[in-house]
Amino acid sequence: MKGHYLVGVRMNEGTKRKNKLMIIPRAWIPKVLVFWVIIVCLFSYFIYAGMDGVNKERRKEVLGSMCDQRARMLQDQFSVSVNHVHALAILVSTFHYYKNPSAIDQETFAEYTARTAFERPLLCGVAYAQRVVHSEREDFERENGWTIRTMEKEPSPMRDEYAPVIFSQETVSYIESLDMMSGEEDHENILRARATGKAVLTSPFRLLGSHHLGVVLTFPVYKSKLPPNPSVEERVQATAG
């Protein structure tokens, strides 16, 4: 009987210990809940941060791929535009200077450039500026019926040479008779283009008659055929516009 009694006492004592371990003081409950919420929030944050990092990397890859595709498309469109401007320069050289009388006038140029605008997706308009030396200015103005003007639309002062616009697409018709050599950006562009025989771009600047920034693409037109390896002087002398 004593042995059985002693075993029963130990069991009761063990049960009491277990019951004591399971009891949480009432004052600790808010602290435990706050601690639990903090643990859950931290765990959720780390899960979200990991998933968000993966999503960001995927978005960066997609955005980079889209930028590459856009850059290639713009490069292709620019190449197409440059090639068409080159072809237009050859057309002016052939039908305006090699034909007597000229087979091109403002109406023909405007219609042709309007109908082929899709070939120049990056250009808002094209125009042709003729090279005029000072000794030819008076005859040139009399023939065209207007005075060569600066970019400020004032009569151009005396200079060695001018580059007034004689043909223009309808979208940029407001630059007709303006001397492209009077604009700082255009002046440098013209000198570089005729010296190299290649298409030349200006730096971005505020376009005339617009509040937008843009660039001007310049391609030289020659009035006579050049030798296989022309010098800079030969290119300048043969430049028509």
Side-chain angles (χ1 to χ4, degrees):
M1 291 297 292
K2 289 182 180 180
H4 291 292
Y5 177 75
L6 292 175
V7 171
V9 170
R10 291 193 181 100
M11 288 179 65
N12 290 336
E13 290 178 353
T15 303
K16 290 179 180 179
R17 290 194 187 97
K18 290 181 180 179
N19 291 338
K20 288 181 180 179
L21 291 175
M22 294 177 63
I23 295 174
I24 299 176
R26 184 182 299 274
W28 288 13
I29 293 178
K31 298 180 181 179
V32 172
L33 289 176
V34 171
F35 179 75
W36 173 251
V37 171
I38 292 174
I39 294 296
V40 171
C41 290
L42 288 175
F43 184 71
S44 302
Y45 171 77
F46 286 122
I47 293 178
Y48 170 78
M51 296 177 64
D52 186 57
V54 173
N55 290 334
K56 285 182 178 178
E57 289 298 323
R58 290 178 180 175
R59 288 195 292 268
K60 286 181 180 179
E61 293 177 0
V62 172
L63 183 60
S65 177
M66 291 174 62
C67 289
D68 290 340
Q69 292 178 3
R70 179 61 177 171
R72 285 193 296 268
M73 183 181 70
L74 290 175
Q75 185 175 6
D76 293 340
Q77 290 180 343
F78 179 74
S79 298
V80 169
S81 299
V82 171
N83 290 337
H84 194 267
V85 172
H86 188 187
L88 190 59
I90 295 175
L91 183 142
V92 172
S93 177
T94 302
F95 292 97
H96 186 57
Y97 292 104
Y98 293 174
K99 298 290 184 180
N100 191 13
S102 172
I104 298 179
D105 56 15
Q106 168 57 30
E107 183 179 355
T108 303
F109 186 89
E111 182 178 357
Y112 176 79
T113 52
R115 295 176 66 178
T116 57
F118 67 92
E119 293 282 1
R120 304 178 299 276
L122 298 182
L123 303 181
C124 62
V126 290
Y128 173 66
Q130 181 174 319
R131 182 191 182 193
V132 179
V133 296
H134 181 67
S135 60
E136 301 172 347
R137 176 176 178 173
E138 185 176 350
D139 294 336
F140 174 84
E141 291 179 338
R142 186 185 306 110
E143 180 182 349
N144 287 276
W146 41 254
T147 302
I148 299 175
R149 300 178 296 164
T150 64
M151 291 297 181
E152 290 73 28
K153 298 186 178 181
E154 298 177 354
S156 181
M158 184 183 301
R159 62 174 70 237
D160 293 335
E161 59 180 342
Y162 315 87
V165 175
I166 61 172
F167 301 143
S168 62
Q169 188 174 342
E170 187 176 356
T171 55
V172 291
S173 59
Y174 53 86
I175 65 173
E176 185 179 356
S177 78
L178 297 186
D179 179 17
M180 304 305 292
M181 295 286 279
S182 65
E184 182 179 353
E185 296 84 2
D186 297 297
H187 182 270
E188 296 298 325
N189 227 32
I190 290 172
L191 296 183
R192 285 190 295 143
R194 73 182 185 183
T196 60
K198 299 178 180 179
V200 178
L201 276 175
T202 64
S203 299
F205 67 99
R206 194 173 300 280
L207 299 176
L208 181 66
S210 172
H211 298 293
H212 302 290
L213 293 178
V215 295
V216 174
L217 172 67
T218 304
F219 207 99
V221 174
Y222 298 107
K223 58 186 174 183
S224 60
K225 294 182 179 179
L226 296 171
N229 296 307
S231 63
V232 174
E233 183 62 27
E234 289 174 330
R235 289 186 182 278
V236 173
Q237 291 299 324
T239 299

